[in-house]
Amino acid sequence: MNTLPSKLKDDAIVEALCQIQFVSDDLPEVIIGRATDFWVKSGYLAERLPIADIPAPIRKANPNLRFQPTIQLREKQGPNLIRIGEQAISFHVAGEKKYPGWDSFRAQLKGVVEALFSNLTTNISVNKIGLRYINAIVQDRHFIKDFHELEFEVSVGGKQLTGPLNLNFNVSEETEHIVTTRLAHGSFVQGTLPAKTSAVIDVEVSTANAFLAKNAPDVLNWIEKAHTFEKTAFFALIPDTVQQKLVEK
């Protein structure tokens, strides 16, 4: 299709999330306390995550733990989650058919970003952002019965592969966005998937290494562009004939 669809009749999203990593002059405990208080007052329930039991010096020294959340806030009446660590915050909408559409999700992200800059921290710098959509392609809903009906080909030694695959690749967009597409047959994916899932398309747009933002508008502008790149990567894999059936007129 020549233009990106604005809305689908039945989207494939099983989780959408945005993670923001930052540095601040405030003590980590102060940031987490302010954030917890802010969203509890907004109707979220706070849960302490198991990783919080690992001493802070050990978490900071391990690159795999440094940005992991220690507190989770769950919306009382809804699918939204907010996870907070000492240098990171993420917002999630999880569940089959729970994604509210980009207009609503963008407004929710705007609230998180503005709260981060105005209510939770002082002298903050954002150095990494990731916008990620995990899509489960279901045979009966999305008109794709076989993994290899998606728009891609992989050949080894001149022979096209036709069995289950797990394919990851990066594409750089402009100077501040890197698009990572993870395309997998259901047999490679752990966790619960909808019945008759023929493929999982996981698209994550992340910042380049030199990224730095010191205000909410710059972060939101990056997220807006990231969403366009995410949609472009996703729809590049969907045949035109299938898109025509899925697009809401």
Side-chain angles (χ1 to χ4, degrees):
M1 299 182 74
N2 294 326
T3 58
L4 291 174
S6 59
K7 190 176 181 181
L8 298 184
K9 298 175 185 176
D10 188 358
D11 69 53
I13 299 166
V14 292
E15 184 172 7
L17 65 102
C18 184
Q19 185 188 59
I20 298 169
Q21 294 181 10
F22 58 86
V23 294
S24 169
D25 287 346
D26 288 325
L27 292 172
E29 295 83 357
V30 172
I31 296 172
I32 292 173
R34 287 174 181 165
T36 302
D37 183 62
F38 180 84
W39 273 292
V40 165
K41 289 179 179 178
S42 301
Y44 283 74
L45 297 173
E47 306 170 13
R48 190 171 184 270
L49 297 175
I51 199 171
D53 293 331
I54 300 175
I58 295 176
R59 284 189 272 112
K60 289 180 181 179
N62 188 324
N64 295 320
L65 301 178
R66 188 177 303 150
F67 299 105
Q68 292 298 310
T70 56
I71 297 291
Q72 176 172 278
L73 295 142
R74 184 182 299 275
E75 192 177 24
K76 290 181 181 178
Q77 302 294 330
N80 299 342
L81 294 173
I82 297 170
R83 292 175 178 150
I84 306 165
E86 295 179 352
Q87 291 182 276
I89 186 168
S90 59
F91 179 79
H92 307 242
V93 177
E96 188 178 2
K97 298 187 178 182
K98 298 296 185 181
Y99 182 68
W102 174 239
D103 288 343
S104 178
F105 190 56
R106 174 173 50 195
Q108 292 168 326
L109 290 178
K110 184 173 184 288
V112 171
V113 172
E114 290 180 345
L116 179 63
F117 278 90
S118 61
N119 297 94
L120 310 183
T121 59
T122 56
N123 194 24
I124 179 177
S125 297
V126 169
N127 49 33
K128 187 172 182 179
I129 312 171
L131 180 68
R132 184 178 182 185
Y133 283 75
I134 302 171
N135 303 269
I137 304 298
V138 178
Q139 298 177 24
D140 297 340
R141 291 167 47 203
H142 304 122
F143 311 102
I144 296 174
K145 295 182 180 180
D146 183 80
F147 179 76
H148 289 276
E149 291 179 8
L150 296 171
E151 292 283 10
F152 78 99
E153 293 182 1
V154 177
S155 297
V156 176
K159 183 179 180 180
Q160 185 174 337
L161 301 183
T162 58
L165 290 174
N166 185 4
L167 177 65
N168 301 338
F169 59 91
N170 287 347
V171 176
S172 295
E173 298 284 1
E174 297 183 349
T175 59
E176 293 185 338
H177 296 77
I178 299 172
V179 182
T180 301
T181 300
R182 304 175 182 94
L183 177 61
H185 185 274
S187 61
F188 286 96
V189 181
Q190 296 182 341
T192 303
L193 292 173
K196 298 183 179 180
T197 295
S198 56
V200 174
I201 303 175
D202 179 348
V203 181
E204 181 175 10
V205 186
S206 56
T207 48
N209 290 334
F211 181 83
L212 182 67
K214 293 193 173 185
N215 57 68
D218 285 350
V219 172
L220 294 170
N221 182 59
W222 184 95
I223 291 173
E224 188 72 37
K225 290 182 179 180
H227 178 254
T228 299
F229 295 139
E230 183 278 330
K231 287 182 66 175
T232 300
F234 173 79
F235 284 109
L237 292 164
I238 308 300
D240 285 350
T241 54
V242 173
Q243 290 190 40
Q244 292 167 8
K245 296 177 183 177
L246 290 175
V247 173
E248 184 171 284
K249 303 298 183 183

